[in-house]
Amino acid sequence: MSKHFIAATTLALASAGLTSPALAQVRVSPVIVSPADAPSPLLIARDAAVRCAGRRVEPIYAERLSPRVLPMSSAFDREPSTQTLRFSINEEGRPRSIRPLPAAQRPNPTEDDQATLAAYRFAPGRAQADCTMTISLTPRPLAEASREQLAFAYAVDRARPAAVVRALARPGDDCRTRPRPDVAVYPSPDAGRIPPGGLGWSVTRWNVTRDGRTSDVETLASSGDAELDAEIRRVVVASTFQPDAPRRGCIGAWTRQGATLSDTPEPEPTGDPLKNCPAELRARFTHARLTYPTAFQRRGIEGWAIVRYDIASWGEPGAIEVLEAQPAAAFGEAARNIVRAGRATPGHVAGIRCTDRVIFRLPQGDEQPNID
């Protein structure tokens, strides 16, 4: 008997110096780095093209890929390059079996890229295989990036690089630190027309008067959802801050996900003649904490994976293999980690080719995670 596990979402570097009498006598000449040679922030613009069997395919819903900001860059980062995701399209027009195509030198597409593609929609009734999303990476100095690119990077990067904030500032802007709120108004959860699995964003700029009221509220850039943009402007206009010196150029970013995009898991495979996984051993095996892939959690995209593995007599899992993961490989990696960190109490029996179906489901309302 196998177990089904449902994973649910849950929401300094220190440097030290060493000195010694011997080292104290060593004199090191300083390295002089000219401004032209110093690493400078880069914005990596990313554009995607989809092909199936070598022919261009246009989705009926797609999202732009967010730019990446590199605060420190090297000559290697300044060269254009490409990344690739392989996938198929089912009868419903949903991308399936999303897998990064390993690159020889460049980093592979990220979990965010997999989640973005999973939200795409293609024409229903036309299942296709042998599809690729080719991501073109075009580096450019931050000073040459457009306002929309900068705002997009600011909206989706939780770290909010200071270089992006400076690049978005206009002459005369002095709102480096936002004044303390007095009355905070929040956007309606129903605002926006974002499809299931989609992610909308809006970046807004405003000034603050001496008495704490907002003025000159405007949308700097957004994902294009006019209803969401209008709601965010309404929220900023209705909010107030504690009286202080007036500020110019305050910037805020809001993101909004669509409804949950569910997925129907397939049953675990049966009929494996080499399988020897006693129920007694399975009862002694405890899986690790169930962790949801972050990018898919943020978008409300559900998934599942089927994992096969052995269990040693001393309780350690091994030979872990992802048999299937949908809609993307990220769910398979998460399931692999769940099994890898699990343990069974030691005994005299080992397990061969045990299988688990790991279901990643987002709780609805007050629903609690459950494990069967």
Side-chain angles (χ1 to χ4, degrees):
M1 178 178 178
S2 63
K3 298 180 180 179
H4 296 171
F5 295 86
I6 299 179
T9 175
T10 56
L11 289 186
L13 293 177
S15 60
L18 298 176
T19 59
S20 71
L23 291 176
Q25 305 303 317
V26 179
R27 303 179 66 88
V28 180
S29 301
V31 177
I32 307 299
V33 180
S34 69
D37 297 330
S40 59
L42 277 184
L43 182 139
I44 311 296
R46 305 186 312 136
D47 300 295
V50 174
R51 289 179 170 80
C52 292
R55 308 180 74 173
R56 185 73 177 257
V57 178
E58 296 296 334
I60 57 178
Y61 172 78
E63 294 178 11
R64 291 168 291 174
L65 296 179
S66 59
R68 297 279 186 263
V69 175
L70 303 179
M72 301 289 286
S73 61
S74 64
F76 183 76
D77 299 317
R78 297 173 184 273
E79 295 298 322
S81 61
T82 60
Q83 298 173 336
T84 304
L85 287 167
R86 290 196 180 278
F87 67 104
S88 60
I89 302 173
N90 68 7
E91 287 289 334
E92 297 175 354
R94 288 188 57 177
R96 309 295 290 171
S97 303
I98 300 170
R99 306 287 185 269
L101 183 65
Q105 295 180 327
R106 291 284 179 173
N108 294 331
T110 65
E111 182 183 296
D112 284 315
D113 298 326
Q114 294 183 45
T116 300
L117 177 54
Y120 273 41
R121 286 297 175 276
F122 296 87
R126 297 179 56 189
Q128 301 190 67
D130 190 23
C131 299
T132 59
M133 172 188 274
T134 302
I135 304 171
S136 299
L137 289 77
T138 306
R140 64 190 57 176
L142 210 60
E144 297 178 10
S146 69
R147 184 175 72 174
E148 182 178 24
Q149 290 173 328
L150 293 168
F152 196 178
Y154 177 80
V156 300
D157 190 339
R158 300 300 178 91
R160 305 278 161 77
V164 176
V165 178
R166 290 194 298 270
L168 279 170
R170 298 173 179 177
D173 285 352
D174 57 8
C175 192
R176 295 291 183 267
T177 58
R178 201 179 302 175
R180 291 176 295 174
D182 188 16
V183 176
V185 180
Y186 297 94
S188 166
D190 300 323
R193 300 179 179 276
I194 304 165
L199 187 69
W201 58 274
S202 185
V203 176
T204 305
R205 178 188 185 274
W206 68 93
N207 300 333
V208 180
T209 63
R210 189 178 300 276
D211 60 0
R213 299 186 180 276
T214 59
S215 66
D216 301 307
V217 180
E218 61 174 324
T219 300
L220 274 184
S222 74
S223 56
D225 190 319
E227 184 177 312
L228 177 61
D229 294 342
E231 174 65 4
I232 299 305
R233 291 194 301 270
R234 181 195 70 79
V235 163
V236 175
V237 169
S239 299
T240 60
F241 298 86
Q242 295 186 10
D244 198 351
R247 309 284 181 92
R248 288 181 55 84
C250 298
I251 297 174
W254 287 259
T255 58
R256 171 66 53 80
Q257 70 181 50
T260 298
L261 183 59
S262 59
D263 208 298
T264 303
E266 295 177 3
E268 295 178 33
T270 58
D272 184 351
L274 300 179
K275 181 175 181 179
N276 181 16
C277 192
E280 177 269 334
L281 176 62
R282 294 298 306 272
R284 294 192 286 107
F285 187 78
T286 302
H287 290 73
R289 178 177 177 270
L290 306 178
T291 304
Y292 210 102
T294 304
F296 291 86
Q297 173 186 324
R298 188 182 182 197
R299 288 175 170 272
I301 299 176
E302 298 182 339
W304 55 273
I306 298 175
V307 183
R308 183 168 62 199
Y309 58 99
D310 299 341
I311 305 175
S313 59
W314 57 87
E316 183 177 359
I320 304 169
E321 180 183 3
V322 177
L323 301 182
E324 185 63 278
Q326 294 295 352
F331 288 104
E333 288 305 307
R336 186 199 303 271
N337 292 335
I338 290 169
V339 172
R340 180 185 290 119
R343 288 295 181 273
T345 55
H348 299 291
V349 179
I352 304 298
R353 298 170 75 87
C354 302
T355 57
D356 277 337
R357 185 178 63 164
V358 185
I359 303 173
F360 296 84
R361 190 185 70 196
L362 295 160
Q364 302 297 318
D366 296 330
E367 179 184 9
Q368 296 297 314
N370 60 75
I371 300 177
D372 301 328

